[in-house]
Amino acid sequence: MLIHPQFDPVALQLGPVAIHWYGLMYLLAFLQVILLGRWCIKHRPWSGWTVNMLDDVLFYGVLGVIFGGRLGYVLFYKPADYLAHPLDILKLWEGGMSFHGGFLGVIIAMALFANRHKLRWLSVTDFIAPLVPLGLAAGRLGNFINGELWGRATDLPWGMIFPQAGDGIARHPSQLYQFAGEGLLLFAILWLYSSKPRPLGAVSGVFLIGYGSLRFLAEFAREPDSFLGLLDLGLSMGQWLSLPMIVAGAIMLRWAQRRP
């Protein structure tokens, strides 16, 4: 049986300013988008992207992640609480971000970017999709460092006690499962698939199928949110939100492959 190391969530203290590990993970996520994006611009000329376009799309993406992630958490997970206390929506420092909300925020941001640059929306998402998984991996690593979003009870040898859970039960380190699945594995799949020209929308479709499927599976090991529990058919909110992604991805990939 393992015990969570209880890392200090503050990575660096500069006088009154505390720099948290989770914030550094967000910074790392955006930094790797810049580095990988520049590599793609140099080695995958068929994309037609420039460094200036990459810098611009990152700005749009950051806004989409922050606003979409926060509003998604508010609407998907605690609508009644935030309706009663709307000003709490602004308290980002108290936590509460949703991947699926952030995903929708990025989709809208990419549409605005595509419109500004007179590009096809799917050509933008096809370029961005392979750059996303390592950022997701960084986020899950941040969850593990904070000892949050732990897994369900398990008697497997790598079961881990998370003191923050307050029950002394060995649990799946589900943050690390998601780090490996939605992060590293999905990155490998998308990076290889996008290594040569693909039909418009195909890479985006593979991302939707891949993330949705891997997140759906990981949720079986992740403890449901205490204020929600399991929903219809014994599925979690994360699983219900992932199903439309899988369906949309399959439709998009089929459409892309059948285009002349």
Side-chain angles (χ1 to χ4, degrees):
M1 185 181 300
L2 305 173
I3 299 177
H4 184 267
Q6 294 294 279
F7 301 101
D8 186 342
V10 177
L12 185 63
Q13 187 80 40
L14 300 174
V17 179
I19 301 176
H20 290 252
W21 282 109
Y22 198 68
L24 288 179
M25 292 302 104
Y26 267 84
L27 180 61
L28 180 61
F30 295 129
L31 178 61
Q32 65 85 34
V33 168
I34 294 174
L35 296 177
L36 290 178
R38 291 189 175 216
W39 189 95
C40 289
I41 290 170
K42 182 177 180 180
H43 295 91
R44 299 178 179 181
W46 61 83
S47 70
W49 277 62
T50 66
V51 172
N52 287 338
M53 291 168 62
L54 177 65
D55 293 342
D56 198 18
V57 80
L58 182 63
F59 173 75
Y60 280 81
V62 169
L63 294 180
V65 167
I66 295 174
F67 288 106
R70 184 57 170 172
L71 291 178
Y73 183 80
V74 169
L75 296 174
F76 298 150
Y77 291 91
K78 291 186 174 182
D81 290 354
Y82 286 105
L83 183 62
H85 306 282
L87 291 180
D88 286 352
I89 296 174
L90 303 177
K91 297 179 180 179
L92 296 176
W93 57 89
E94 293 183 355
M97 297 287 280
S98 161
F99 165 81
H100 295 91
F103 171 75
L104 292 175
V106 170
I107 289 297
I108 295 172
M110 295 305 99
L112 295 174
F113 170 84
N115 181 67
R116 176 181 175 181
H117 288 269
K118 303 297 186 292
L119 298 172
R120 289 187 173 185
W121 174 59
L122 287 178
S123 70
V124 176
T125 58
D126 282 348
F127 180 82
I128 294 299
L131 313 182
V132 172
L134 289 186
L136 300 179
R140 294 310 176 194
L141 190 57
N143 294 144
F144 181 75
I145 290 173
N146 287 347
E148 61 191 7
L149 304 184
W150 50 77
R152 304 186 194 189
T154 181
D155 57 3
L156 292 172
W158 56 84
M160 180 174 288
I161 294 176
F162 289 88
Q164 290 91 332
D167 52 20
I169 296 175
R171 299 175 174 276
H172 288 284
S174 56
Q175 313 97 322
L176 298 182
Y177 298 172
Q178 292 185 266
F179 168 84
E182 303 156 21
L184 302 185
L185 177 58
L186 184 58
F187 170 73
I189 292 171
L190 285 169
W191 195 255
L192 291 173
Y193 185 74
S194 63
S195 63
K196 62 181 182 180
R198 299 290 181 179
L200 182 69
V203 176
S204 300
V206 171
F207 173 84
L208 290 173
I209 296 171
Y211 179 86
S213 300
L214 290 166
R215 175 66 183 268
F216 188 90
L217 293 174
E219 286 284 329
F220 284 115
R222 178 172 163 174
E223 182 74 12
D225 295 290
S226 59
F227 51 86
L228 282 179
L230 295 175
L231 307 179
D232 293 342
L233 303 180
L235 300 180
S236 68
M237 175 62 81
Q239 288 174 312
W240 278 112
L241 293 174
S242 295
L243 287 174
M245 294 183 69
I246 299 172
V247 173
I251 294 173
M252 184 179 295
L253 184 58
R254 181 62 174 167
W255 170 82
Q257 292 174 336
R258 295 187 65 177
R259 291 180 72 244

